[in-house]
Amino acid sequence: LKWLRQQLEKQSGCRHITVVTHNNLFNQDQNQGRCSIPPLDEVYELVHLMEKHGVGMCMQSHNHYPSLTNFKGIRLLVSPALQDNGYCLVDYTSDGIFNTFKKIEY
């Protein structure tokens, strides 16, 4: 948290800020057990920190089921698994951050 706080403080005034994390902040897939979810007090701290510094997107993975949720103005994107031929395109424009879930076509 200390490292992330320092990094976000350096980004003051940036148009688009994205945080990338391996674990999901709000994992609804219980097949992974508790190892896939940070402790709730850390989730609160992370969300507060990202909200305070204007983070627009938090890219996550771990369970690899593609999903998109907005929480407190932060786009929470869970990337699909490459092993399932999935990926996500993210576009940063002057209007915002946009994403599209894709499948690899062979």
Side-chain angles (χ1 to χ4, degrees):
L1 286 172
K2 181 179 176 183
W3 175 86
L4 180 59
R5 186 176 295 108
Q6 291 171 345
Q7 298 306 308
L8 290 174
E9 287 171 357
K10 292 177 190 177
Q11 304 309 315
S12 176
C14 290
R15 181 181 299 164
H16 301 300
I17 301 172
T18 299
V19 171
V20 179
T21 179
H22 179 80
N23 285 354
N24 300 6
L25 298 180
F26 300 100
N27 187 359
Q28 296 177 6
D29 175 16
Q30 297 305 312
N31 292 330
Q32 305 272 339
R34 296 270 316 137
C35 70
S36 63
I37 307 170
L40 200 51
D41 59 335
E42 286 185 23
V43 172
Y44 288 144
E45 179 73 22
L46 286 166
V47 170
H48 174 74
L49 191 59
M50 289 189 288
E51 182 184 27
K52 176 182 174 183
H53 291 284
V55 171
M57 178 181 282
C58 180
M59 296 180 72
Q60 309 162 90
S61 59
H62 197 81
N63 71 4
H64 302 288
Y65 302 112
S67 69
L68 180 65
T69 307
N70 288 298
F71 183 71
K72 296 208 170 245
I74 304 163
R75 180 176 289 230
L76 302 171
L77 182 140
V78 178
S79 64
L82 281 174
Q83 70 187 23
D84 297 330
N85 298 326
Y87 66 100
C88 184
L89 291 176
V90 178
D91 292 313
Y92 295 86
T93 72
S94 57
D95 294 326
I97 304 171
F98 303 94
N99 70 281
T100 308
F101 294 112
K102 299 281 193 173
K103 283 281 192 182
I104 297 172
E105 302 294 331
Y106 293 101

